[in-house]
Amino acid sequence: MTAQRRRFLKMLAAGAAGAAVAGCAPGPSDGGRGAPGPGAGKPGQRYRWRLVTAWPPGLPGFGTTAVMLADTLREASGGRLSVQVYAAGELVPAFEVFDAVSRGSVEMGHSAPAYWKGQAPATQLFTGFPFGMLPAEFNAWLAYGGGLELWRECYQPYGLVPFPGGNTGTQMGGWFRREIRAMEDFSGLKIRMPGLGGDVLRRLGATVVNLSGGELFTALQTGVIDATEWASPYNDLPLGLHQAAPYYYYPGWHEPAGAIEVIVNREALESLPADLQALIETACTAVNHQMLSEFMARNVQALDILVNQHGVELRRFPDEVLEGLRRASGETLDGLAASSPLAARILKSYREFQEGVSGWQAISEGSYLGARDSRR
Ligand code: CA
């Protein structure tokens, strides 16, 4: 363990202990609704938990974030909370993580809210959605705009407490076996795209399927699908998708902030003493930011390898296609709001926050990036 990591863990443990003393386990935005209850466990007791993920074994970024969370919890708790991490399929398949944690078969999960539309359509909104907020904006909404309270309210009926547990940053538009030149090209396209982005493409005539990460390469290579999105260069490279489709499109209009979740069984969480509950919240906040940094750093390297070593064809979606996708996204989101009062409330909160933050972003980061990179 590096000295830097030791200092970080020491700081984390001190923060958790401080929070427990003050009796304030929940984070800054926690208004109480849906938040963990008072700790019931004994302070000296040891806990052995299991964490199931929706990721293929050893997958960089996603899988390593789950391991980092487990390591942090074990080290910062002095071994009182040890968490064993399982890849998709080792205990439960990728798309059964939500249900397994909900029924208490395991205590924790690491997955994507976009996967759970079958359980409750509103869950998808917490991955972020088409033409929505960027990671820093999204995290600000969760922490200070009421987003986390809404997320916890959404998962409450399933006995789950969600925490932000990672973010990919803005994703890529996906891998395509043929080019997209106009909106008509989505018609009849067989594409893997979970969540609301998939709903948008379905509206445009695409055949949309959901496959887990481990299934993508074969489906794309054999022509079962014509296209797939996964994440971004760092995480797409190890799946080998560049060997199955030549065109790599951007931007990832459908997932501007690929938010990942840690879900905890509520009864299990409340069985912990208050300091360990606080530690989970703090450790999740830490990995949430760490994963974003990891993707930012590694995407640069992976994109270089994809383009310069593997000859991948980078393509930007034409402006008219992006405009068409933006319009169809608005209609799709309005349809979701009409189908679920909870989704309508979440969307209202999210959209109001986005509108406010957009004005600020235009004169801060947007303006700055334009000036900084103007010579490119
Ligand atoms: Ca994705």
Side-chain angles (χ1 to χ4, degrees), residues 134 361-376:
L134 292 168
Q361 285 288 67
I363 62 169
S364 56
E365 286 189 45
S367 171
Y368 172 71
L369 283 174
R372 189 187 72 178
D373 303 331
S374 62
R375 280 183 297 170
R376 291 190 180 174

Side-chain angles (χ1 to χ4, degrees), residues 1-11:
M1 191 167 27
T2 63
Q4 188 188 13
R5 180 151 172 78
R6 248 185 235 110
R7 271 199 305 279
F8 169 72
L9 291 169
K10 201 171 163 188
M11 186 186 73

Side-chain angles (χ1 to χ4, degrees), residues 13 28 41 87 99 164 183 186 190 216 218 258 285 292 311 319 341 343 349 362 366 368:
D99 289 343
M183 291 297 281
F186 289 114
K190 290 177 290 181
L216 298 185
T218 304
T285 302
L292 184 60
D319 285 339
S349 167
Y368 172 71

Side-chain angles (χ1 to χ4, degrees), residues 53-60 62-63 87-89 92-97 110-112 115-116 171 175 192-194 209-221 225 227-232 235-242 244 255 260:
T53 79
W55 325 124
L59 186 68
F62 292 88
V92 299
F95 294 139
E96 288 178 23
V97 169
H110 195 240
S111 46
Y115 292 164
W116 316 126
Q171 300 200 357
W175 297 89
R192 179 267 187 191
M193 184 174 280
V209 297
N210 196 7
L211 300 167
S212 68
E215 300 171 296
L216 298 185
F217 175 77
T218 304
L220 192 58
Q221 193 187 40
I225 52 176
T228 184
E229 74 83 54
W230 174 244
S232 48
N235 213 254
D236 290 357
L237 178 60
L239 293 186
L241 302 176
H242 57 281
E255 280 182 303
I260 302 302

Side-chain angles (χ1 to χ4, degrees), residues 36 268 315:
R315 292 281 189 279

